Amino acid sequence: RSTIDRKPRTGREQAKMHEARDLEEPLLRRRNVDNSERAPRILDRDGAFHQSRGKWSIERQSRGVRRTHQSPSRRCVPCNIWDPDWFHNLAYKPTLILMGILFFIYSTIVFFFAFVYLGVSKLGAPAQTDDGSIKHSFCGMDINNHMEALYFSLSTMTTIGYGVSDYYFGDCWTPLLLVLCQSCAAITFSAVAIGLLFQRISRGQKRSKTILFSDKAVACRVRGVSYLMFRVGELRRHHLIEASVRAYCLKHERIPVTDAALSHSNGRNIAEIETTHFVARHMQLLHPDETFGSHILMSLPQVIVHRLDEKSPLVPPQVWYDAEGKEHLPHTEHDDAFRFKPIETFILDRDAEVIVLLEGTDELTGSALQARHSYRLEDIAWDHYFAPCVFPATSRNATTDAELESRWSWFRRHGNCNAMGSTPACTVDFSKFHDIVQVAKDCNACAFVPDR
C-alpha cells in the first residue's frame, strides 16, 4: 500500500500530511486518475496472471516529402513486403498469414508453368486422332487442355512422375528447359518455405511464455538504504542456458531552459521546462552482480535487486522540476510516512516505467529468446517483501504430510524426479510466487542484499 494514502494517527502527522498534499496537489490529482485515463504502458501486461506478452506500445511513422511542389508531406510505411529484407518481413508475419502467402505463391508457380506448357504444346502441328478430334503435340508433350497442363505442372513441381507417352519429349530442348526452370523454382520455393515455417514454429517468443515475473515489485529499506526488488522464475524443468537480466527505466526528462525567477504563491520557484519524452536509462542491478554479467540460475526463482540511491534513475536529484515547472527541493522530513514520498512523486511526474529483459538460450533448440516485463508506479508495493515460495522437501513448516505427499506425487507424474522415483530435494510452490508480505520500516538484514 502506498505511503501517500496511509492515514496518520496523530494530529501532528495529520497536519504534516495536509501540508504535503497542498504542495503536491497537481501530482496527487494525476495519481488518483483512473488507470484507463493514464498514458498506456510502453510494454504490455495483458497476458495471463498480468504477465507481459512482449508487445511494445510504440507506433512508428515516417513522413516523406514528395518531389512535386504542389503536394504536402505524406505518411509512408517503410516496412513492407518489397523491402530488401523481405525474408524477415515474411518471417514476422502471423503464422496463418505466412502459410496463406506461401500457398498462394506455390499455386501461382503451378498455374504459371501450366499455361506455359499449354502454350508450347499448341505450337505443334495439328493432327487428327482416331476419334476425329484435333490435337496439338509439340515434341510429344501430349497436352491438349488446361487441366492436362495443370496436372503436368503439378507433377513437375512435386516430382510425382509423368503420364505422357514419351517422357523424353522427342529429345527436344524446349520442354527440358521449361522443366528445368520449374524444378529450380520448386527447389528455391521449398528452401524458403521450410526456412520461414521453421523460424515461425521454433521462435523463442513462445518459449519465453514460461518465464514468470512477479506481479508486483516491492520496495523496502535495509539498514537505511532503499531497494527495489522483483522476482523471476521458470515454469519448465528444461531451463535456459546463460540466462541474464537487464533493467531499464523509461521516463520523461525535464530540463529548465530559463532561470527559476518567477515565484509561486507557496514560495516555490517556477521555470520554463523542456521535456524529452521516453528517455531510456540503464538500471544497475545489485543482484545479480553486473560485474559478472548479470547471470542468474533459472532452476530456482530468483529475486532481482536494484539499489535506490543517487545513481538510480528512479530517485530524484537534489533539485528537480515537474511538468508545470515547479521546483522541488530535498525533503527534510524523516517520518515514516514520508520516506518513499519523494520517489513516488518523482516517478509519477516522470511517468517512469521499469522495463525488465531476461535473455537466454534454450538448451534443446539452441534458439535465443527474450522475456519482457514492466513495472509502473501502481505495480510497486512499498514496505513489502516477497513471501517464500521455495521449501526443502523435508520441511514441515506450515506444511502437512498430505501436502508434501501431494507435491512429491506431482513431481513423479511430471518427470521432475529421476527414474529411481526419489523425492525432490526442494519444492517450488508457484501458488505463492506472487505473494508479498509487509515488513518493518527499516530491516536489519535481507537475504538478497549483501552485507557490504
Side-chain angles (χ1 to χ4, degrees):
R1 188 178 177 183
S2 174
T3 56
I4 294 181
D5 297 330
R6 289 175 181 166
K7 296 182 179 179
R9 298 180 179 178
T10 64
R12 182 170 177 264
E13 292 177 350
Q14 182 73 33
K16 292 179 180 179
M17 183 65 71
H18 283 301
E19 181 181 357
R21 286 184 180 274
D22 292 338
L23 294 177
E24 307 296 341
E25 183 179 358
L27 294 179
L28 289 173
R29 285 201 302 266
R30 291 174 54 193
R31 172 75 179 273
N32 296 327
V33 174
D34 184 69
N35 290 336
S36 60
E37 300 179 4
R38 294 190 59 187
R41 292 177 178 269
I42 294 295
L43 187 64
D44 77 293
R45 284 187 58 174
D46 300 331
F49 304 102
H50 302 285
Q51 297 297 296
S52 174
R53 295 183 298 178
K55 294 183 178 180
W56 299 96
S57 180
I58 301 175
E59 181 183 4
R60 290 173 173 82
Q61 297 181 356
S62 177
R63 295 185 177 273
V65 180
R66 295 181 180 179
R67 295 183 182 274
T68 58
H69 297 284
Q70 293 82 4
S71 59
S73 62
R74 57 168 182 164
R75 181 183 301 180
C76 63
V77 181
C79 296
N80 53 58
I81 193 70
W82 306 113
D83 278 352
D85 192 14
W86 58 269
F87 181 85
H88 288 92
N89 289 332
L90 284 176
Y92 283 112
K93 295 289 184 182
T95 304
L96 294 179
I97 295 180
L98 175 61
M99 295 181 66
I101 294 175
L102 294 178
F103 290 153
F104 175 78
I105 296 176
Y106 187 89
S107 301
T108 301
I109 296 175
V110 172
F111 276 87
F112 172 76
F113 279 96
F115 283 104
V116 172
Y117 290 136
L118 181 61
V120 171
S121 180
K122 292 295 184 180
L123 295 177
Q128 187 173 6
T129 60
D130 296 337
D131 57 358
S133 60
I134 303 299
K135 73 172 184 177
H136 297 264
S137 179
F138 179 77
C139 295
M141 297 185 67
D142 295 335
I143 300 177
N144 302 306
N145 52 51
H146 294 85
M147 187 58 65
E148 292 181 2
L150 288 174
Y151 273 110
F152 185 87
S153 178
L154 185 61
S155 299
T156 303
M157 197 78 168
T158 57
T159 65
I160 296 175
Y162 299 115
V164 297
S165 58
D166 182 13
Y167 54 84
Y168 293 109
F169 305 113
D171 297 333
C172 293
W173 283 96
T174 303
L176 175 62
L177 295 178
L178 290 176
V179 171
L180 180 61
C181 291
Q182 187 173 8
S183 299
C184 293
I187 294 174
T188 304
F189 174 82
S190 299
V192 173
I194 293 174
L196 287 172
L197 292 177
F198 178 79
Q199 291 292 335
R200 288 296 303 174
I201 295 174
S202 63
R203 65 189 186 276
Q205 182 180 2
K206 295 296 183 181
R207 173 65 176 83
S208 63
K209 301 301 182 183
T210 59
I211 306 297
L212 197 61
F213 293 86
S214 59
D215 181 35
K216 295 287 186 179
V218 297
C220 61
R221 291 177 69 89
V222 180
R223 296 184 294 273
V225 181
S226 301
Y227 296 92
L228 180 70
M229 308 179 190
F230 54 91
R231 186 152 59 184
V232 298
E234 170 64 277
L235 295 177
R236 287 181 177 269
R237 61 188 179 95
H238 303 287
H239 305 125
L240 299 180
I241 301 175
E242 295 292 327
S244 61
V245 179
R246 291 179 292 154
Y248 298 91
C249 175
L250 297 181
K251 63 177 182 177
H252 307 319
E253 292 289 358
R254 311 193 194 280
I255 302 175
V257 296
T258 60
D259 294 335
L262 300 178
S263 179
H264 196 258
S265 59
N266 59 6
R268 289 193 302 176
N269 295 327
I270 299 178
E272 183 181 353
I273 296 299
E274 177 182 318
T275 301
T276 303
H277 298 284
F278 301 109
V279 178
R281 301 295 186 188
H282 176 72
M283 297 177 58
Q284 187 175 3
L285 300 179
L286 182 64
H287 176 77
D289 195 340
E290 292 191 349
T291 58
F292 298 100
S294 298
H295 295 298
I296 59 175
L297 180 66
M298 293 299 295
S299 301
L300 295 172
Q302 300 290 329
V303 175
I304 312 301
V305 183
H306 168 70
R307 181 169 179 171
L308 296 174
D309 54 10
E310 64 277 0
K311 297 180 181 180
S312 172
L314 299 176
V315 176
Q318 293 295 323
V319 179
W320 61 280
Y321 296 86
D322 59 21
E324 298 180 358
K326 296 180 181 180
E327 183 182 31
H328 292 255
L329 299 176
H331 281 252
T332 58
E333 183 62 55
H334 299 286
D335 287 353
D336 291 338
F338 295 87
R339 290 181 303 107
F340 288 114
K341 183 179 179 59
I343 299 179
E344 290 184 83
T345 306
F346 183 74
I347 293 177
L348 180 63
D349 176 74
R350 294 300 196 263
D351 199 13
E353 183 172 347
V354 177
I355 305 296
V356 183
L357 305 178
L358 193 151
E359 301 168 330
T361 304
D362 183 68
E363 63 178 355
L364 180 61
T365 62
S367 59
L369 60 94
Q370 182 183 84
R372 311 181 187 116
H373 201 68
S374 71
Y375 297 98
R376 298 179 68 175
L377 179 61
E378 59 268 22
D379 303 320
I380 301 177
W382 308 96
D383 291 322
H384 280 74
Y385 192 69
F386 289 109
C389 66
V390 181
F391 306 94
T394 57
S395 175
R396 293 297 190 273
N397 295 332
T399 305
T400 63
D401 294 338
E403 291 176 349
L404 286 174
E405 181 61 29
S406 175
R407 293 176 184 175
W408 292 344
S409 61
W410 186 92
F411 273 89
R412 296 190 188 100
R413 289 196 308 269
H414 291 77
N416 286 339
C417 298
N418 54 36
M420 299 300 294
S422 61
T423 58
C426 65
T427 301
V428 180
D429 190 355
F430 281 101
S431 64
K432 300 181 179 180
F433 183 83
H434 301 284
D435 293 350
I436 57 177
V437 294
Q438 193 166 10
V439 295
K441 306 301 180 182
D442 194 353
C443 304
N444 295 325
C446 177
F448 301 101
V449 177
D451 297 332
R452 59 180 182 182

